[in-house]
């Protein structure tokens, strides 16, 4: 895995970075935050896919496990 990533932002990328940066945040910080948001979004998609088959499950009808 490379220790750094080259990135040539388009004008639209630059606008997004400029408008999305928190006070005192570097471009790298903003990109890291965006990557973590993407990772969380991916997790949510998987969570919803895993939960969908269980939508109608009523755990109150299950016997106690202990």
């Amino acid at each position: 895995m490379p220790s750094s990533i080259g990135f040539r932002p388009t004008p639209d990328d630059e606008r997004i970075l400029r408008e999305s940066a928190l006070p005192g945040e570097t471009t790298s910080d903003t990109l890291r935050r965006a990557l973590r948001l993407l990772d969380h979004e991916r997790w949510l998609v998987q969570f919803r896919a895993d939960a969908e088959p269980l939508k109608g499950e009523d755990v109150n009808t299950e016997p106690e496990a202990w």
Side-chain angles (χ1 to χ4, degrees), residues 38-53:
L38 284 170
D39 188 50
H40 182 68
E41 182 178 302
R42 189 178 52 124
W43 182 88
L44 285 173
V45 167
Q46 185 61 53
F47 170 80
R48 289 183 183 113
D50 292 345
E52 184 63 29

Side-chain angles (χ1 to χ4, degrees), residues 11-64:
D12 198 40
D13 295 334
E14 289 176 349
R15 177 192 59 78
I16 292 168
L17 285 166
R18 190 174 48 255
E19 292 174 0
S20 300
L22 298 174
E25 190 173 58
T26 66
T27 300
S28 292
D29 294 336
T30 304
L31 291 170
R32 282 187 190 98
R33 187 165 47 88
L35 287 171
R36 278 153 188 77
L37 285 169
L38 284 170
D39 188 50
H40 182 68
E41 182 178 302
R42 189 178 52 124
W43 182 88
L44 285 173
V45 167
Q46 185 61 53
F47 170 80
R48 289 183 183 113
D50 292 345
E52 184 63 29
L54 305 174
K55 184 168 57 175
E57 184 178 47
D58 183 0
V59 295
N60 292 317
T61 62
E62 300 284 327
E64 292 293 332

